[in-house]
Amino acid sequence: MTKTFQKDEQNITLLMMNFIGKHILSATALSKEEIERILEVAKEMEPFARKEKVSDLLKGKVLATLFFEPSTRTRFSFETSMVRLGGSVISNYMMKETSSVKKRETLYDTGKVVSAFADVIVMRHPERGTVAELAKGSMVPVINAGDGPADHPTQGLLDLYTIWKQFGTLDGLTFGMVGDMKFSRVVHAECALLKHFGKSRFVFIAPEALKIPQELKEELESAGHEVLETEDLESVIGTLDVLSNTRIQEERFESHEDYEKFRGTYSISADLMVKAKDSMIVIDPLPRVDDQLKIEVDEDSRAKYFEQVTNGVAVRMALLALVMGRG
Ligand code: NCD
């Protein structure tokens, strides 16, 4: 990766200051300059994320991870990031069952209390707006690790980082997003971040009932991007530079029967990949389920979803360093 975003020195210092003590609650709240700064610091963090170097940048600092919803990658990724920066972690991944929230403590009070222990908090919750609620009580930066279908800014950032590393730019590409456009907080975050960059084409591929929310579509269009919608992946895959796959989100449906209607709608296979450009990449936040992304695709050099895991550590190291004034 050779490209960098152009900035003067004074701007860089100002941008760093911008992050200190700040919450990272939504992708929408980040400016283009802030996104670029995060990606550039992530690049500096790569050797640490790749286990080639050690750092004590955040020695003595404590991260609290508060998870009210299942996670493998996001929680371990944040915890690894903190440990690789020389800091420590306190963690509860069953907040609903084992924290005082069970005794009806408010998220506001939980924020007050946990921020007395920790220097930074990372939280995931199944409902929209809950991370912001906890942040109101917190005296330390709070980072949103996913709030229901609303937002997942750090996944969006690591997806942009993966694209930037591959293409050296975030401008003028054709992004195909397939799966659950309605509920995928990852797609929502990707759009909110990508909207700031040069004119691109967004192709949303989803069943009618799981279409991209109208307001997101309009935001992209008014930022100058072209937006297309289709239900058919095969007919558009050959036009894409990036295929962002997201699982149909069973837990967001009212009932299992509702979910069953959409299960198996898409399947990315080696046969389908033959129709894609040689330069196209496939990204996916994972987990993969129901053969929506076949294991045989892992062999394809265009599959970037396992590289994304390491990229996620670099990006989260960058965020932790920035909000604690060490970027
Ligand atoms: C995503 C999430 O939790 O929103 N996963 C992740 O963070 N790695 C996507 C998903 O669960 O499908």
Side-chain angles (χ1 to χ4, degrees), residues 73-74 124 152 155 185-186 247 249 251 285-287:
R73 274 151 295 274
T74 307
R124 168 174 286 188
H152 193 351
Q155 180 69 45
R185 56 193 177 199
V186 174
R247 171 179 72 94
Q249 313 250 312
E251 67 275 33
L286 305 174

Side-chain angles (χ1 to χ4, degrees), residues 67 69-75 124 145-148 151-152 154-155 158 183-187 245-249 251-252 284-289 316:
F67 277 63
E69 215 188 33
S71 169
T72 298
R73 274 151 295 274
T74 307
R75 190 168 66 92
R124 168 174 286 188
D147 61 332
D151 213 326
H152 193 351
T154 68
Q155 180 69 45
L158 82 89
F183 295 115
S184 172
R185 56 193 177 199
V186 174
V187 169
N245 184 50
T246 49
R247 171 179 72 94
I248 311 266
Q249 313 250 312
E251 67 275 33
R252 314 277 177 232
D284 191 318
L286 305 174
R288 63 173 148 196
V289 289
R316 289 174 175 126

Side-chain angles (χ1 to χ4, degrees), residues 233-241 272 274-278 280:
L233 173 59
E234 196 172 339
S235 66
V236 292
I237 194 165
T239 67
L240 308 177
D241 296 309
L272 187 64
V274 171
K275 300 194 163 74
K277 290 186 198 172
D278 289 345
M280 188 195 81

